[in-house]
Amino acid sequence: MLIDRETDMVNRRKFCAAAALAAGRTGAASQLAAEGGTPVRAKPLRADYWGPQYYDQKEGQELAEVLETGRPFRWYGRGPEPPMKVATFEKEFAARMQTRFALAVTSGTAALHCAMAAFQIGPGDEVILPAWTWHSCHDAVVHAGALPVFAEIDESFNLDPADIESRITPQTKLILAVHLQGNPADLDRILPIARKHNLKVLEDCAQSVGASYKGRPLGSIGDLGIYSLQLNKTITAGEGGAVTTSDPVLFERAARFHDLGYLRDVHERVVGKPKLDVFVGTNFRMNEFSGGVLLAQLRKLDTIVGAVRANARRVYEGIRDLPGIRLRQLPDPEGELGAAVFVAFQTRQLCDRFMAAMRAEGVPVSRPSGSVILPTLPYIINKVTVHPAWPSFTSPRGRAIKYGPETCPRTIDILGRFAGPNLDPKYTARDVDDIITAIRKVYPAVARG
Ligand SMILES: Cc1ncc(COP(=O)(O)O)c(C=O)c1O
């Protein structure tokens, strides 16, 4: 295995040297396709959704069993014993994430709501979150009646640890550390800030299921983790989500909240004698069809992560020596998922040129995606909620807080200057080499200006 990898590395270096030579020569091969040269690929490269590419008879078998037994509901059904697909998924998910407990829910958004409940976030509380993340992060805070407080991102595209402390007030209760687009947030810097100010840390691993930070699975390092199992994520049943924690009280509150405020036998068996009373709940329960598919997918998680990481590493290895190249900051390169490889430019205009030239080469790249610069959205700027007297925005702090592009200039600047290819675990060596060839061809021409 080691020999294979070393041989592979040598071949890679030879290939890159040849590509560099080719790109350095004048002539048709190095002329940008955007300027009339031959494109690296005739048929544009296109990343696919990861999980469904791995669907096979394993997922089929799980679904068939639910159909054949007629037992689609997790708590009970035909027969004396409760169905066990969701429960087994929870057990194996907790083991994979190295936490004591895992709770399956209907979506990553539902998992965020459960997290807010677990931490007892409510009116008067403030939650710090990155300005660039998914709607659900902001919305879950607002639905809890609390106040979202945005901080800037850094060049890892995650919460900038240096921008957290100035946002903390006596009302701050929670830091939402989101691991965006496969890249772990810098927890070694975020956790001490949280501990110093007696704040909880929620890891949002929705976009980084299966990634790790310094050897530990994401979602096992802060106080609680949430995951999305929706189509765009590492493994999927179309929709789905999960919560992990090793704290029995946080787990019990999340489990009660995801159901009707009661603790069911299945969960009582894992968490022990209840410590809380019944309270107002929801229904974010996962069904057995989803549980079965996700169980099959979970057993393939390491294969998918291994494949996409290997492809990302080949790309990094193949472009790292380009003079002047600067890549997205990786707080732990070993733990990153490798969902995409991002290259920095001095200006937004150069980044636009890079994107256009790469598209012409048949290797499309994009700016960081899958999230939104939330403080720039009209519904957030205008604090629009389902009821005008929503408690998030009726307090003096809630009335005074300002959102808008002027509150996150660094986030806007950074996201405008990075672009790169999304990666796919099933890309062939040829596909990956085409990415490397295209970047080696285009980057020097664009970066020169
Ligand atoms: C960072 C982040 N958190 C939470 C979610 C919500 O997950 P879901 O779509 O499963 O509700 C997403 C979805 O993309 C996300 O990107």
Side-chain angles (χ1 to χ4, degrees):
M1 197 63 189
L2 190 65
I3 292 169
D4 284 346
R5 279 189 55 193
E6 276 173 3
T7 312
D8 185 52
M9 282 304 206
V10 172
N11 288 342
R12 271 246 44 74
R13 283 197 199 101
K14 278 188 191 153
F15 166 82
C16 292
L21 256 180
R25 282 186 210 118
T26 51
S30 65
Q31 191 178 6
L32 297 185
E35 294 166 1
T38 309
V40 172
R41 283 179 77 98
K43 185 164 175 258
L45 189 59
R46 197 176 185 286
D48 195 358
Y49 303 106
W50 299 356
Q53 296 187 73
Y54 289 81
Y55 283 169
D56 59 21
Q57 71 282 4
K58 298 263 172 34
E59 284 81 357
Q61 182 62 34
E62 295 291 340
L63 288 171
E65 278 172 26
V66 180
L67 283 173
E68 280 157 21
T69 57
R71 285 153 51 93
F73 181 56
R74 75 167 297 187
W75 298 139
Y76 52 79
R78 291 170 166 170
E81 295 300 322
M84 286 303 286
K85 295 210 183 294
V86 179
T88 309
F89 169 75
E90 288 177 340
K91 188 162 172 254
E92 293 192 16
F93 198 79
R96 169 60 179 77
M97 298 308 167
Q98 297 175 22
T99 56
R100 285 180 67 194
F101 312 109
L103 175 72
V105 292
T106 46
S107 67
T109 304
L112 280 166
H113 288 291
C114 292
M116 294 302 143
F119 290 119
Q120 294 185 290
I121 300 294
D125 297 331
E126 297 180 17
V127 177
I128 295 175
L129 72 165
W132 190 66
T133 183
W134 191 239
H135 299 261
S136 318
C137 301
H138 163 273
D139 295 358
V141 175
V142 174
H143 275 299
L147 186 67
V149 176
F150 293 106
E152 298 267 25
I153 61 163
D154 59 20
E155 291 199 351
S156 70
F157 313 159
N158 290 325
L159 199 54
D160 179 358
D163 196 44
I164 294 176
E165 267 191 301
S166 64
R167 315 272 174 177
I168 295 174
T169 74
Q171 283 73 46
T172 309
K173 203 159 171 185
L174 178 70
I175 298 175
L176 215 174
V178 191
H179 305 294
L180 287 153
Q181 235 180 336
N183 194 20
D186 197 345
L187 294 175
D188 275 355
R189 292 174 64 204
I190 295 172
L191 287 172
I193 297 170
R195 299 299 172 243
K196 179 174 154 197
H197 295 274
N198 200 23
L199 307 176
K200 296 290 184 193
V201 173
L202 166 57
E203 288 180 72
D204 181 334
C205 318
Q207 299 183 13
S208 302
V209 180
S212 59
Y213 180 71
K214 310 213 170 152
R216 294 172 66 189
L218 297 187
S220 69
I221 306 162
D223 297 286
L224 189 141
I226 74 98
Y227 309 77
S228 168
L229 307 165
Q230 179 266 347
L231 176 63
N232 299 81
K233 311 308 186 314
T234 317
I235 56 171
T236 189
E239 294 275 17
V243 178
T244 56
T245 181
S246 291
D247 181 317
V249 174
L250 291 182
F251 179 76
E252 185 179 335
R253 213 178 277 114
R256 285 176 179 275
F257 185 78
H258 111 290
D259 199 3
L260 298 168
Y262 297 94
L263 192 68
R264 306 278 184 162
D265 289 348
V266 169
H267 287 143
E268 197 171 323
R269 276 200 288 277
V270 294
V271 81
K273 199 169 148 19
K275 293 173 193 66
L276 306 170
D277 283 331
V278 182
F279 58 83
V280 178
T282 55
N283 171 4
F284 295 146
R285 296 180 303 246
M286 183 179 282
N287 69 66
E288 289 284 291
F289 288 109
S290 296
V293 170
L294 287 168
L295 187 54
Q297 287 265 286
L298 178 60
R299 291 171 180 168
K300 298 169 185 171
L301 176 64
D302 290 326
T303 304
I304 300 174
V305 171
V308 78
R309 259 190 195 149
N311 283 344
R313 283 187 190 148
R314 279 170 73 95
V315 175
Y316 284 126
E317 189 63 29
I319 62 173
R320 208 182 285 290
D321 65 325
L322 281 171
I325 197 159
R326 206 155 53 78
L327 301 164
R328 177 191 194 180
Q329 236 174 58
L330 303 177
D332 176 18
E334 293 296 309
E336 191 217 6
L337 215 52
V341 170
F342 289 104
V343 179
F345 291 88
Q346 294 283 346
T347 65
R348 201 182 171 92
Q349 290 69 26
L350 287 178
C351 190
D352 285 340
R353 279 191 55 202
F354 175 69
M355 288 169 62
M358 289 290 287
R359 198 176 315 117
E361 299 296 342
V363 182
V365 294
S366 56
R367 289 207 165 82
S369 61
S371 292
V372 189
I373 307 178
L374 293 170
T376 66
L377 301 182
Y379 86 95
I380 290 179
I381 295 173
N382 297 321
K383 306 176 185 174
V384 182
T385 52
V386 290
H387 190 284
W390 205 258
S392 303
F393 303 113
T394 51
S395 67
R397 268 283 288 163
R399 282 199 302 273
I401 198 164
K402 293 252 182 304
Y403 304 120
E406 65 283 7
T407 63
C408 54
R410 243 172 343 109
T411 298
I412 295 170
D413 172 58
I414 289 168
L415 295 170
R417 291 188 294 98
F418 278 83
N422 289 321
L423 292 182
D424 186 311
K426 293 251 175 164
Y427 273 169
T428 62
R430 173 73 201 276
D431 295 333
V432 176
D433 288 347
D434 285 345
I435 293 175
I436 296 166
T437 306
I439 295 176
R440 295 191 76 85
K441 186 177 172 190
V442 169
Y443 177 81
V446 171
R448 270 200 307 271

